[in-house]
Amino acid sequence: MQRMSGIATLTKAMADAAYPAYMLETRKTAPCLRLLDKWAVLIGGGRNHRMGLFDMVMIKDNHISAAGGVSNSLKAVDLYLEQRNLKVEVEHVIEDKIWLRPWFLISLFHFYQVETRTLEEVKEVLHYASQTNTSLTRIMLDNMVLPLPNGDVDISMLKEAVQLVNGKFETEASGNVTLDTVHKIGQSGVTYISSGSLTHSVKALDISLKIDTELALKVGRRTGRA
């Protein structure tokens, strides 16, 4: 309860600051507590990222390097999905509605996301998508929020990336996300902001149960139960 309360409290603060963007956690949850950690994020007003490796296609930087580039990695995933008749079904977020993804439907991917680190990679993704019938649904804009010496952040690169995407795909900002920076990031136009700190290093809420014997006796005498 204390851990979940800590997660929900931090999520609430970050989700409010991030508006109109939605706040996401990551897979960096405590061992054996993933469902509870993600539930706490929902309670706090956030939204859930993937549950595991089975409910979302996510192309990370290592995959891109191994495949020999962004286009090659996208092509490989699209071919894999087509050959195995696996479908990508986007879940549209409904505000003020708490839901848990049906993670047990392993034949259905809910998102298909690629990580980009530069504007050139964003342009490559968009070019690939314009030439193919890709199932891609979301573009991660990783570390496009640059920290400044004064503690502020520069989001100009992030805003340019969002403008390039121009609503063709969902966008997700990741990297250098804190309670101090999340509001500014949320004003960039991104759909989502993800932060592992919601679950991997959250401070548990200090909850204790105290019995006030004097008050209990007063109530008991008044009600005839003491």
Side-chain angles (χ1 to χ4, degrees):
M1 181 185 291
Q2 290 181 225
R3 176 178 171 82
M4 286 185 68
S5 296
I7 292 171
T9 300
L10 178 59
T11 301
K12 171 64 174 172
M14 294 190 79
D16 286 349
Y19 185 83
Y22 290 101
M23 203 69 214
L24 302 172
E25 86 297 269
T26 68
R27 287 196 307 120
K28 297 172 183 176
T29 53
C32 303
L33 294 178
R34 178 164 295 174
L35 283 173
L36 293 177
D37 282 0
K38 286 180 173 288
W39 184 19
V41 169
L42 290 176
I43 292 170
R47 296 292 183 265
N48 286 153
H49 211 290
R50 57 181 175 159
M51 186 63 67
L53 298 177
F54 51 81
D55 62 335
M56 178 179 183
V57 179
M58 188 169 181
I59 302 175
K60 295 283 288 179
D61 50 357
N62 284 337
H63 304 133
I64 292 170
S65 298
V70 173
S71 296
N72 286 344
S73 61
L74 289 166
K75 190 182 302 181
V77 169
D78 282 326
L79 182 61
Y80 179 90
L81 294 174
E82 182 182 354
Q83 289 177 340
R84 288 159 179 78
N85 197 30
L86 295 171
K87 302 188 184 302
V88 177
E89 183 176 286
V90 178
E91 288 174 335
H92 295 285
V93 173
I94 302 175
E95 196 168 1
D96 297 327
K97 181 177 180 181
I98 300 298
W99 48 265
L100 280 171
R101 181 178 304 132
W103 52 270
F104 48 83
L105 298 178
I106 60 174
S107 63
L108 183 67
F109 290 106
H110 295 281
F111 301 105
Y112 169 8
Q113 175 171 333
V114 62
E115 177 183 313
T116 58
R117 298 156 291 181
T118 65
L119 294 177
E120 287 68 31
E121 287 187 341
V122 174
K123 292 175 183 177
E124 186 176 349
V125 171
L126 295 173
H127 176 72
Y128 172 84
S130 69
Q131 303 297 313
T132 63
N133 188 28
T134 181
S135 297
L136 183 70
T137 60
R138 187 186 302 175
I139 300 176
M140 176 186 282
L141 309 171
D142 192 41
N143 288 319
M144 295 190 187
V145 176
L146 306 179
L148 299 174
N150 64 358
D152 198 2
V153 287
D154 179 2
I155 63 167
S156 57
M157 182 179 177
L158 178 65
K159 290 179 71 174
E160 187 174 349
V162 171
Q163 290 168 1
L164 284 171
V165 177
N166 194 30
K168 296 181 181 72
F169 300 98
E170 295 177 335
T171 51
E172 177 187 331
S174 178
N176 294 311
V177 178
T178 68
L179 190 53
D180 293 326
T181 64
V182 71
H183 175 71
K184 191 170 185 179
I185 297 170
Q187 302 307 303
S188 66
V190 292
T191 317
Y192 301 100
I193 303 171
S194 59
S195 175
S197 65
L198 290 178
T199 55
H200 71 54
S201 56
V202 69
K203 183 178 180 180
L205 217 60
D206 186 5
I207 300 174
S208 62
L209 298 175
K210 300 289 187 183
I211 298 177
D212 189 330
T213 54
E214 186 176 339
L215 178 61
L217 284 171
K218 286 181 180 179
V219 173
R221 293 190 189 101
R222 188 171 67 246
T223 58
R225 296 179 181 177

